[in-house]
Amino acid sequence: MNDHDHERAARRAEEAGLRFDSERLTLARRLRGLRKNQLAEAIGTTPAAIGRYEAGVHRPSPVTLSRLAMALGVPVEFFHAGHGTGVLDSAHAHFRSLRSTTQIERDQALAYGRIAADIVTALESLVELPAVDIPEHPVHPDEIGGPGPVLAARAARAAMAASPGPVPHVVRLLESRGVIVIVLPPSTERVDAFSVGAHPRPMVMFNPAKGDYWRNRFDGAHELGHLVMHADAEPGSKVVEDQANRFAAEFLMPEEDIADALPRTADWSRLAALKAEWGVSMAALLYRARTLRVMTESVYRNAMSTLSANGWRRQEPGPSRPLESPTMLVKAVELAAAAGTDRDRLATDARVTRADLDLLIPPRPHPVPA
Amino acid sequence: MTEAQDAWDTLLEAGFLHAVRDAHEATTRIVLGSLSRSAGFKERSFGYTSFDVLESQLDKAFGLDGDSGGGPLAGRVVRDNLNGSPGWRLGNYRILLKRHEFGAVDAIRWDKSSPTKQAVSRQEFAEDPQLALDLGVAPAPAGPVTLVVAHSATDAPIETELFIGRPRYNADAGPPWHWRRPITAETLGPDPRQVTERTMPLWSDDDDVVPLRLRARADGTAAEAAR
């Protein structure tokens, strides 16, 4: 760096200091999956000092701000005020099995959701995305084994799925209804798929490390269930999760289409055939047979034990298929580029790093003409 | 009127059955929220835990736990254990608990249960045809009739089962119930329990307050500013 570069960097840091927004610092820290003490160590200060910066009690000096930017891998402009509507709050996100992930991991996943929302906001000024059109069918979060989720799934199918039988492409169905679907980066691998009923658009985030084609489809329908039923429910309870599973089962395997085809016993070849036809895992089919009382609890339990014992809970036997992938945003980015706003410009407009933009919306090697 | 109908009506009108249903649902939520198979808990853990939590939740529902403030059933239901097996008494009916395997309420074998449950399932049942032989003996005055609430729940999917009935000793491999009825939203109907309004706590401010005063301003107008 020559003197001129130093001077420019100092000027940028100074300006960033003047326009510093404490929430952007929290967002950047969460994005990188760091605790306050880890960030403090990286820049040679105390966790309490980081806490004061994030609370807006103290404003970091230009030098500190440059160090923070360096440690977090963002430009100092990332901390500028006047952007977005705060940090996504985990109280509104439907995370599963809260105990198996840490708050840091959930915060990181949510931070990615937050910058995805910023990218979408920037994109929407250039490209018209489909209107949000998700039916609402609230179900009381305490309802155990009641009819609510099934009725909600039937209402959603009537509103969204054109014909009876298998749903051809769950992700495409979500996107066509204006839902933002994002595949999380590998650093968040312990977090299951989750959803946020954020405004202006609901978001569903998938974890590629967590699933295969069949499981991802069920996850997608499960998250749709939260969006349809649980705008108001406190996320994370076992009962609310169970309701979303029941919704997904009815949405992907409607009782009237599949009840007669399900086996009463763990007939694996029959299950494999149904799996290919309906695009759902054998585990999901067993769950369906059990919830429709085609299968008794003890037959179902034994079948699930067999799945576990063979390692089929992680990966079922049979051919694999590529995951359903989201394409709406990829295409929107290509359209924006064709209209003169390339990825660098878009990242600047959304105030995210180009690397993070490419992580969340990977460029296609050969853009398909619109 | 049959015993089944009388027991059902008595317990339903008092709100006892609604209380049992609520306690069971609360228990299911608590147990499933606390234990998970992925953490290594097995069926036995769910069974034992449900047994303990349901006992506590029933005491709570009947206002017997000392800190739930009673409620509509307080004073009408009392604890009435049998040989250490938790029981509750309303009028002439004593109710004990039995956890069964989901979907297998009719596969209970009382002859293989605890001595207490064996004894209960051997109670004379007035409507038992075998007792209808006229031997010229006047029936003995009846003590309490002991019934059993059979409860079950699964975790994935989350489902619950709840029955009340009169157990039948079935060493003969016959049916385990003289009679039983499911306790569900449909069979229960509207909840007869009066919901009591909670009183708001009253604040008092006669304790010492934290001393505060206005800062002296540079021009010494603190007193004016405070008015």
Side-chain angles (χ1 to χ4, degrees):
Chain A
M1 261 216 246
N2 58 31
D3 285 355
H4 182 67
D5 286 342
H6 271 298
E7 230 170 276
R8 213 179 47 190
R11 260 207 316 278
R12 281 176 55 207
E14 192 150 351
E15 191 195 356
L18 293 170
R19 299 176 60 187
F20 175 73
D21 174 355
S22 59
E23 281 188 343
R24 297 286 293 176
L25 174 58
T26 306
L27 178 65
R29 178 176 61 78
R30 289 181 175 178
L31 206 51
R32 302 303 174 230
L34 295 177
R35 292 188 165 77
K36 285 180 188 149
N37 60 349
Q38 293 168 303
L39 179 58
E41 206 168 311
I43 70 157
T45 182
T46 66
I50 300 290
R52 285 191 291 271
Y53 298 144
E54 291 193 18
V57 175
H58 283 179
R59 189 184 286 265
S61 68
V63 174
T64 305
L65 209 56
S66 299
R67 285 183 188 152
L68 285 167
M70 189 81 74
L72 293 167
V74 294
V76 284
E77 288 78 12
F78 190 93
F79 304 122
H80 283 189
H83 212 78
T85 48
V87 176
L88 264 186
D89 183 357
S90 61
H92 302 116
H94 287 279
F95 283 107
R96 265 169 273 177
S97 56
L98 292 179
R99 266 188 250 94
S100 64
T101 52
T102 63
Q103 186 67 46
I104 287 284
E105 287 168 322
R106 295 196 294 275
D107 283 344
Q108 183 178 24
L110 277 171
Y112 274 109
R114 184 52 236 276
I115 62 170
D118 289 346
I119 295 167
V120 169
T121 303
L123 267 176
E124 283 206 78
S125 63
L126 304 161
V127 180
E128 207 172 314
L129 301 178
V132 176
D133 185 12
I134 295 288
E136 274 193 74
H137 189 108
V139 173
H140 195 284
D142 280 351
E143 186 187 289
I144 295 179
V150 170
L151 296 175
R154 285 180 187 160
R157 255 192 93 101
M160 296 170 71
S163 56
V167 175
H169 201 298
V170 176
V171 167
R172 200 66 67 249
L173 191 61
L174 290 169
E175 291 189 317
S176 68
R177 294 281 162 159
V179 177
I180 300 299
V181 181
I182 293 283
V183 178
L184 289 166
S187 58
T188 57
E189 65 185 12
R190 275 160 41 96
V191 176
D192 281 307
F194 70 98
S195 57
V196 188
H199 299 291
R201 287 178 181 275
M203 281 194 286
V204 171
M205 315 214 205
F206 282 105
N207 192 325
K210 276 278 183 180
D212 56 21
Y213 169 84
W214 292 274
R215 217 162 114 180
N216 262 44
R217 280 167 51 89
F218 198 89
D219 282 351
H222 172 109
E223 298 308 327
L224 173 63
H226 285 315
L227 298 175
V228 170
M229 298 186 291
H230 299 139
D232 219 11
E234 197 171 311
S237 91
K238 283 262 176 74
V239 173
V240 163
E241 288 304 301
D242 187 65
Q243 289 175 353
N245 285 336
R246 288 166 182 276
F247 175 101
E250 175 65 22
F251 190 83
L252 293 174
M253 303 166 269
E255 179 177 3
E256 67 174 55
D257 295 344
I258 205 171
D260 294 341
L262 290 165
R264 299 178 152 282
T265 57
D267 175 345
W268 300 107
S269 62
R270 178 99 200 89
L271 289 165
L274 287 169
K275 172 177 175 172
E277 182 185 353
W278 289 88
V280 289
S281 66
M282 292 196 283
L285 287 158
L286 288 169
Y287 176 88
R288 193 60 183 142
R290 164 66 183 79
T291 50
L292 291 175
R293 303 287 170 102
V294 171
M295 208 171 262
T296 64
E297 166 69 9
S298 58
V299 169
Y300 168 72
R301 256 295 134 241
N302 289 336
M304 293 309 266
S305 301
T306 305
L307 280 184
S308 292
N310 292 324
W312 294 352
R313 294 300 292 271
R314 284 187 309 283
Q315 193 174 9
E316 292 187 356
S320 59
R321 285 192 206 172
L323 299 183
E324 290 183 353
S325 59
T327 55
M328 181 169 81
L329 295 183
V330 178
K331 216 161 162 224
V333 170
E334 287 166 6
L335 279 174
T341 304
D342 66 3
R343 281 180 168 260
D344 285 327
R345 176 67 201 281
L346 182 65
T348 306
D349 288 352
R351 302 257 297 291
V352 302
T353 66
R354 171 68 200 267
D356 283 330
L357 170 66
D358 289 352
L359 256 184
L360 287 174
I361 308 176
R364 279 193 283 199
H366 303 294
V368 177
Chain B
M1 187 186 296
T2 62
E3 175 191 283
Q5 195 60 44
D6 181 68
W8 180 267
D9 290 348
T10 304
L11 297 170
L12 182 71
E13 282 158 18
F16 185 98
L17 296 177
H18 283 85
V20 169
R21 194 266 319 263
D22 289 356
H24 187 232
E25 289 217 339
T27 298
T28 303
R29 274 195 292 275
I30 291 164
V31 172
L32 297 185
S34 311
L35 311 183
S36 73
R37 283 181 202 275
S38 60
F41 290 101
K42 293 200 165 76
E43 197 52 47
R44 194 176 42 179
S45 319
F46 285 89
Y48 277 121
T49 313
S50 301
F51 189 83
D52 288 345
V53 176
L54 183 55
E55 181 183 352
S56 311
Q57 289 295 319
L58 282 167
D59 278 345
K60 204 187 181 90
F62 297 139
L64 297 166
D65 62 340
D67 59 11
S68 61
L73 283 156
R76 299 197 55 193
V77 177
V78 293
R79 276 303 287 261
D80 188 7
N81 298 354
L82 185 62
N83 309 329
S85 183
W88 292 263
R89 175 93 176 257
L90 182 122
N92 195 39
Y93 294 105
R94 169 167 51 201
I95 281 78
L96 304 182
L97 303 175
K98 168 75 178 170
R99 185 175 162 94
H100 64 276
E101 188 190 327
F102 190 91
V105 70
D106 291 328
I108 295 173
R109 287 295 295 262
W110 300 109
D111 54 313
K112 296 185 175 141
S113 298
S114 68
T116 302
K117 297 278 165 44
Q118 288 190 43
V120 167
S121 64
R122 282 183 158 127
Q123 290 171 107
E124 285 192 354
F125 180 51
E127 292 158 49
D128 188 338
Q130 292 182 45
L131 297 176
L133 300 172
D134 186 1
L135 303 173
V137 183
V145 171
T146 302
L147 304 175
V148 170
V149 162
H151 59 99
S152 183
T154 57
D155 58 320
I158 299 179
E159 284 184 14
T160 58
E161 274 185 341
L162 202 56
F163 299 90
I164 184 163
R166 163 76 95 118
R168 174 189 169 279
Y169 188 74
N170 56 339
D172 59 358
W177 303 98
H178 288 295
W179 60 267
R180 65 155 175 80
R181 290 193 181 184
I183 302 174
T184 65
E186 291 72 34
T187 60
L188 287 177
D191 190 338
R193 291 173 296 172
Q194 291 292 314
V195 178
T196 48
E197 287 287 318
R198 285 184 173 277
T199 53
M200 293 296 289
L202 297 172
W203 298 97
S204 86
D205 54 3
D206 45 10
D207 294 317
D208 287 344
V209 293
V210 177
L212 297 175
R213 63 194 179 109
L214 280 171
R215 291 177 193 276
R217 288 205 338 219
D219 56 2
T221 53
E224 280 74 17
R227 283 184 199 135

